[in-house]
Amino acid sequence: MALKVFLSHGLGVGIATGLSYVPGMAVLSQFFHRRRVIAMGIATTGSAVGGALHPIMLNKLFYGPAGFHGGVRTSAGLCLGLLAIALLLLRPRFRPKKSHISTARVFKDFLRDPPYVIMVCGTTVTYTGLYFPIFFLQLNAIKIGINATLAFYTIAILNGASVFGRIFPNMLVNYVGIFNMVIMCTTITGILVFCPLAIKDVAGTMIFSIMYGFFSGASRNNSEIGARLGICFAFTGIGGLVGTPISGALLTGSYIWWRPFLFSGLCVFTGTFCFIVSRHLSSRVKSTHIL
């Protein structure tokens, strides 16, 4: 049974998500120029809305008349319907260019771009620490004495706040620059990572859920296009893969919370430092501070 879950949800869903998400974002970017970042930010709110509503829907179905099997079928039908709509709406604006350049050649060209390489490294490290507070927020809330039912909704609140974090900061990108905005948001996110260590009540947990959802959502940079976006997500996926298990191992069965929060915070701050270095190198080439 565990093998079936791993193959279907671990590998199958993961591969399918990668194959659909990156091309979808790349196609969308073809239709926008000045407002591209805003458009892509709005598009990424879909995962935040799904993260807020889907768990609530499944919880009601699993513990209702539909049961587990009925809930899974309903979820699959909903995802299939939404993907069908997305496939019908997606149309590339430009025809793909015929090129004989190999993938290895393209990858080598990207490696010759130091700001891009450093940015990819920074994003990978950031993703390594970014998800621990999200995955363990509910458990932490229960451990400090919050009602289990209310703790369940902290994830929905966090994802709901992430919707706004993916839209409103992007509206300022054309004025302050994408790098400047990402650096500011990741810095705040890194500070927020340590906040749960001092939170002991419902109000603090809810405020943290809202703020972390907002700024962690704003920290996700989707400004790169096409092959660059694909290469970036190939490496950042590794960070998302290893980060949460490492944090869980650091937490241990004794729930030593400071260790995974320290690891998570250091990862986010290290990623922020990489963004600062990448921004500095880019500003020297482009002779502008609005990056």
Side-chain angles (χ1 to χ4, degrees):
M1 183 62 180
L3 179 61
K4 293 179 180 179
V5 173
F6 171 74
L7 292 175
S8 60
H9 289 268
L11 292 181
V13 174
I15 293 172
T17 302
L19 290 174
S20 59
Y21 182 83
V22 175
M25 297 300 295
V27 169
L28 175 66
S29 68
Q30 295 179 353
F31 292 88
F32 298 90
H33 179 66
R34 192 168 66 90
R35 300 186 182 278
R36 178 180 293 153
V37 178
I38 298 176
M40 296 177 76
I42 293 173
T44 59
T45 60
S47 61
V49 173
L53 300 180
H54 216 121
I56 298 175
M57 180 193 78
L58 288 176
N59 189 59
K60 297 294 184 182
L61 290 171
F62 288 168
Y63 295 100
F68 177 80
H69 292 88
V72 171
R73 294 189 186 99
T74 302
S75 175
L78 175 63
C79 292
L80 179 62
L82 293 174
L83 284 171
I85 294 173
L87 289 173
L88 291 174
L89 293 176
L90 278 176
R91 287 289 185 276
R93 185 179 180 182
F94 308 109
R95 291 185 178 182
K97 297 179 180 179
K98 294 183 179 180
S99 176
H100 299 289
I101 300 177
S102 65
T103 303
R105 172 71 180 277
V106 174
F107 185 72
K108 289 180 180 179
D109 290 340
F110 289 150
L111 291 179
R112 296 191 184 100
D113 185 357
Y116 173 74
V117 173
I118 296 172
M119 186 273 294
V120 171
C121 293
T123 306
T124 302
V125 177
T126 300
Y127 274 43
T128 302
L130 189 70
Y131 290 106
F132 170 74
I134 299 174
F135 282 106
F136 287 85
L137 175 61
Q138 183 179 350
L139 175 62
N140 184 53
I142 294 173
K143 286 298 179 181
I144 63 175
I146 296 177
N147 178 272
T149 302
L150 182 59
F152 170 77
Y153 286 97
T154 56
I155 301 299
I157 294 171
L158 186 148
N159 280 299
S162 183
V163 172
F164 300 98
R166 300 176 191 219
I167 297 176
F168 292 118
N170 287 1
M171 293 180 177
L172 302 176
V173 163
N174 290 331
Y175 304 100
V176 302
I178 184 78
F179 262 118
N180 297 333
M181 182 60 67
V182 169
I183 289 170
M184 182 192 73
C185 290
T186 51
T187 300
I188 297 174
T189 302
I191 296 172
L192 288 172
V193 167
F194 296 101
C195 290
L197 294 173
I199 295 174
K200 303 298 180 184
D201 56 16
V202 175
T205 301
M206 295 305 167
I207 292 173
F208 171 79
S209 299
I210 294 171
M211 294 190 66
Y212 194 83
F214 183 90
F215 286 105
S216 65
S219 299
R220 294 176 173 88
N221 178 10
N222 290 303
S223 60
E224 297 291 342
I225 304 172
R228 284 179 174 258
L229 183 66
I231 291 175
C232 181
F233 270 89
F235 286 98
T236 56
I238 298 173
L241 172 67
V242 303
T244 306
I246 292 174
S247 298
L250 291 172
L251 180 62
T252 72
S254 301
Y255 300 107
I256 307 174
W257 289 101
W258 70 266
R259 297 199 300 190
F261 278 120
L262 178 62
F263 170 76
S264 180
L266 289 176
C267 286
V268 175
F269 278 125
T270 302
T272 303
F273 176 75
C274 292
F275 295 149
I276 293 173
V277 174
S278 180
R279 179 200 175 281
H280 174 69
L281 295 176
S282 297
S283 66
R284 291 176 59 184
V285 175
K286 298 182 180 180
S287 300
T288 179
H289 293 289
I290 301 178
L291 293 170

